Amino acid sequence: AQTVTQSQPEMSVQEAETVTLSCTYDTSESNYYLFWYKQPPSRQMILVIRQEAYKQQNATENRFSVNFQKAAKSFSLKISDSQLGDTAMYFCAFPSYNQGGKLIFGQGTELSVKP
Amino acid sequence: KAGVTQTPRYLIKTRGQQVTLSCSPISGHRSVSWYQQTPGQGLQFLFEYFSETQRNKGNFPGRFSGRQFSNSRSEMNVSTLELGDSALYLCASSLDVSSSYNEQFFGPGTRLTVL
């Protein structure tokens, strides 16, 4: 079965500091995508960053980067120079194999950025 | 390009009633997926439609149904509402259902409260 696990229900970080959110997953597929989504208090789900499994280079989007370790099935999100607007729920997700539009989500990590 | 829109944004119903939620995908997107989000169960996949056909279905009772129109707009219906159906219902659209890339763009959600 394909699963996604986020072991940190809540985290907090001081503004301008760096924080890392953890995610592990399980799949028997060799090529797939992984996503981090952000859901702020407004509830609008926004894609933060994506990683293609066959690419060894870790994806980076401005202050957001991932540490992708395929063998360990680990996909952590690092937020540098945290800003108040980063306060949100963060979900790790990946597409269910051969099931088109179905995304499998982790339980989420609630991140609070404190001034 | 306009994003995914969902109507209504908020809805209050009583047990036993039925409800219809609407989702308009991004122009050109043919795949629409629905998710239920609750504090206890997290994000759960309801179903996915592509070219007016249901392609995938999650593990929900038959009271939950949906359809997709020729313009890709989708509706989901919940009949005989129960208290446990109170949730945020998210709709997501994507271009290509067959691709493992499958980036989904989410709407703002419909908050359903069942009294």
Side-chain angles (χ1 to χ4, degrees):
Chain A
Q2 296 173 307
T3 59
V4 180
T5 302
Q6 293 178 250
S7 58
Q8 305 150 314
E10 298 178 356
M11 294 190 73
S12 68
V13 62
Q14 291 297 128
E15 200 174 4
E17 293 188 344
T18 295
V19 64
T20 299
L21 310 182
S22 302
C23 172
T24 58
Y25 61 94
D26 190 21
T27 181
S28 57
E29 297 307 307
S30 58
N31 191 25
Y32 44 88
Y33 285 83
L34 291 160
F35 305 107
W36 277 99
Y37 279 91
K38 168 186 176 181
Q39 188 179 40
S42 67
R43 313 304 283 177
Q44 178 82 49
M45 193 81 79
I46 303 163
L47 181 66
V48 173
I49 197 165
R50 72 179 74 88
Q51 173 78 42
E52 192 164 3
Y54 80 87
K55 290 185 177 178
Q56 293 189 347
Q57 186 175 7
N58 289 323
T60 299
E61 289 285 344
N62 300 315
R63 299 182 295 106
F64 299 87
S65 61
V66 300
N67 182 5
F68 173 53
Q69 301 190 16
K70 191 173 183 180
K73 295 181 180 174
S74 170
F75 182 58
S76 60
L77 174 69
K78 186 172 85 169
I79 306 174
S80 304
D81 185 25
S82 295
Q83 300 176 0
L84 296 178
D86 295 334
T87 293
M89 282 288 288
Y90 287 82
F91 294 95
C92 177
F94 75 94
S96 177
Y97 175 70
N98 214 25
Q99 286 194 285
K102 178 180 178 179
L103 281 175
I104 299 174
F105 286 90
Q107 303 91 322
T109 296
E110 186 171 8
L111 176 67
S112 296
V113 180
K114 301 185 183 305
Chain B
K1 240 184 204 182
V4 179
T5 58
Q6 291 186 246
T7 56
R9 293 292 309 278
Y10 301 91
L11 207 49
I12 299 175
K13 292 286 188 179
T14 56
R15 279 180 297 175
Q17 288 186 309
Q18 74 165 17
V19 67
T20 299
L21 312 182
S22 180
C23 171
S24 292
I26 291 172
S27 177
H29 285 194
R30 297 168 65 190
S31 169
V32 174
S33 298
W34 290 88
Y35 295 85
Q36 181 195 65
Q37 185 176 20
T38 59
Q41 299 298 317
L43 281 150
Q44 293 187 290
F45 173 79
L46 279 157
F47 29 63
E48 179 207 6
Y49 286 87
F50 180 78
S51 292
E52 302 179 65
T53 302
Q54 186 182 88
R55 282 300 187 93
N56 294 293
K57 190 177 190 306
N59 189 25
F60 278 82
R63 300 185 296 107
F64 292 82
S65 63
R67 60 177 174 168
Q68 187 180 34
F69 302 94
S70 58
N71 62 358
S72 294
R73 188 177 71 85
S74 177
E75 289 181 347
M76 68 163 281
N77 184 274
V78 188
S79 62
T80 319
L81 283 166
E82 300 177 359
L83 295 178
D85 297 333
S86 294
L88 180 70
Y89 290 88
L90 293 169
C91 164
S93 75
S94 62
L95 264 174
D96 183 1
V97 71
S98 62
S99 167
S100 62
Y101 174 68
N102 201 30
E103 178 176 347
Q104 296 198 23
F105 297 83
F106 284 82
T110 294
R111 169 74 65 185
L112 172 64
T113 301
V114 182
L115 302 176

